[in-house]
Amino acid sequence: MAKYGFLGMGIMGSAMAANLVHAGHDVTVWNRTAARCAPLVALGARQADTPREVAATCDVTFAMLSDPAAALAVLEGADGVLGGIGQGRGYVDFSTVDDATANTIASQIVANGARYLEAPVSGTKKPAEDGTLIILAAGDRGLYDEVAPALDKLGKKRLFLGEVGQGARMKLVVNLIMGSMLTALSEGLALGLKGGLDGAEILDVLDAGAMACPMFRAKGPMLLSGAYPTSFPLKHMQKDLRLALALSEKLDQNLALTAASNELFKRARIAGNGDKDIGAVFSVIA
């Protein structure tokens, strides 16, 4: 059985690595804050001191990092992945980055004789825990086929989208829609509440009609409660909206609604809600 490495023990990465361990895979983990590896070690994973050590000792290294800067730092930094990865090994990056960053990572991995697959995921904490993510892969088809059994322990659906960059683009499309839908829900609830409507009844009406969707079902009660336990940090959604807008500039595509949503998420982040759930955007609307 292949030896897998996993870099990044945040909300998503820790749950995904745990599913690989539960499935019986040999997994070595690393995190910048080493203490976050402890729960994985308790499950049976090994802990490495550096990304370089992970890449050098594992057949395939997975990464789930917070943003483009973190993804590049783990790759290029002192004791980074590039110092350990070599001929025939694989690198699969689940991080949500822009297409340019994905291509930069790919070129450096390939230059070291290894193979690269970008594989950003659609889904938050609960799907990560349940192994029901949607995996948006692109890059080396051989590596995709090789790690398919592991991907199937992490997600309920996986797609191979072609050349490097297409996975990143698909993920940004998904998240700009999610962010805009959440701001629309927030504004609708805010207006209804100010108009004397019952919030639970608004959600009931939405759930009974054509706009019924799992996100409204999950986030609606959260917005009404005013508590935002983190499933998907707001600061990461704002980062994804910003990256989508940067892509729109490159492709000459108007994204007026996404721009407005980004400003609301930015306001919520500046107000100190960055580490709360994306639902906290409601706090600057209501």
Side-chain angles (χ1 to χ4, degrees), residues 175-192:
N175 277 14
L176 80 82
I177 294 171
M178 183 191 303
S180 297
M181 286 175 64
L182 188 55
T183 54
L185 176 64
S186 296
E187 290 193 347
L189 283 174
L191 180 63

Side-chain angles (χ1 to χ4, degrees), residues 121-198:
V121 301
S122 179
T124 54
K125 180 180 180 181
K126 186 66 162 57
E129 292 172 341
D130 294 344
T132 57
L133 297 165
I134 300 169
I135 299 169
L136 310 171
D140 190 299
R141 180 65 196 237
L143 180 56
Y144 174 76
D145 292 336
E146 182 181 315
V147 299
L151 298 182
D152 288 341
K153 297 299 181 183
L154 305 177
K156 64 180 180 180
K157 185 178 181 65
R158 55 183 167 87
L159 299 89
F160 184 78
L161 300 170
E163 64 185 15
V164 173
Q166 293 300 87
R169 289 181 174 187
M170 181 68 83
K171 177 60 188 294
L172 295 180
V173 166
V174 169
N175 277 14
L176 80 82
I177 294 171
M178 183 191 303
S180 297
M181 286 175 64
L182 188 55
T183 54
L185 176 64
S186 296
E187 290 193 347
L189 283 174
L191 180 63
L193 292 171
K194 282 199 172 178
L197 297 176
D198 181 270

Side-chain angles (χ1 to χ4, degrees), residues 28-60:
T28 299
V29 298
W30 172 87
N31 192 74
R32 184 176 58 182
T33 303
R36 290 189 180 179
C37 293
L40 275 298
V41 173
L43 291 178
R46 298 182 181 87
Q47 183 173 353
D49 292 329
T50 65
R52 177 176 182 165
E53 180 185 344
V54 175
T57 58
C58 297
D59 301 304
V60 177

Side-chain angles (χ1 to χ4, degrees), residues 30-284:
W30 172 87
N31 192 74
R32 184 176 58 182
T33 303
R36 290 189 180 179
C37 293
L40 275 298
V41 173
L43 291 178
R46 298 182 181 87
Q47 183 173 353
D49 292 329
T50 65
R52 177 176 182 165
E53 180 185 344
V54 175
T57 58
C58 297
D59 301 304
V60 177
T61 298
F62 297 107
M64 174 56 97
L65 303 160
S66 59
D67 56 28
L72 289 170
V74 164
L75 188 78
E76 303 168 343
D79 288 321
V81 167
L82 292 177
I85 204 162
Q87 191 69 39
R89 298 188 186 277
Y91 190 70
V92 180
D93 198 348
F94 294 121
S95 313
T96 298
V97 300
D98 56 287
D99 56 346
T101 298
N103 275 286
T104 296
I105 294 171
S107 64
Q108 295 185 79
I109 291 292
V110 171
N112 273 41
R115 298 165 295 156
Y116 174 76
L117 189 73
E118 62 168 344
V121 301
S122 179
T124 54
K125 180 180 180 181
K126 186 66 162 57
E129 292 172 341
D130 294 344
T132 57
L133 297 165
I134 300 169
I135 299 169
L136 310 171
D140 190 299
R141 180 65 196 237
L143 180 56
Y144 174 76
D145 292 336
E146 182 181 315
V147 299
L151 298 182
D152 288 341
K153 297 299 181 183
L154 305 177
K156 64 180 180 180
K157 185 178 181 65
R158 55 183 167 87
L159 299 89
F160 184 78
L161 300 170
E163 64 185 15
V164 173
Q166 293 300 87
R169 289 181 174 187
M170 181 68 83
K171 177 60 188 294
L172 295 180
V173 166
V174 169
N175 277 14
L176 80 82
I177 294 171
M178 183 191 303
S180 297
M181 286 175 64
L182 188 55
T183 54
L185 176 64
S186 296
E187 290 193 347
L189 283 174
L191 180 63
L193 292 171
K194 282 199 172 178
L197 297 176
D198 181 270
E201 290 181 343
I202 295 172
L203 296 177
D204 191 36
V205 170
L206 292 175
D207 200 46
M211 289 180 287
C213 70
M215 188 180 73
F216 286 1
R217 209 169 293 131
K219 299 301 184 186
M222 174 190 289
L223 305 190
L224 295 178
S225 75
Y228 310 105
T230 307
S231 176
F232 181 1
L234 183 142
K235 63 185 178 184
H236 294 335
M237 173 59 85
Q238 199 264 312
K239 174 263 297 183
D240 294 347
L241 293 172
R242 174 175 54 78
L243 293 178
L245 290 169
L247 179 60
S248 77
E249 290 284 343
K250 186 164 64 175
L251 299 179
D252 290 328
Q253 174 61 50
N254 185 314
L255 295 181
L257 182 58
T258 304
S261 297
N262 180 58
E263 288 303 315
L264 288 169
F265 275 91
K266 190 190 301 182
R267 185 185 306 170
R269 178 182 58 77
I270 292 170
N273 297 295
D275 290 320
K276 296 179 182 178
D277 191 78
I278 55 175
V281 70
F282 186 65
S283 66
V284 298

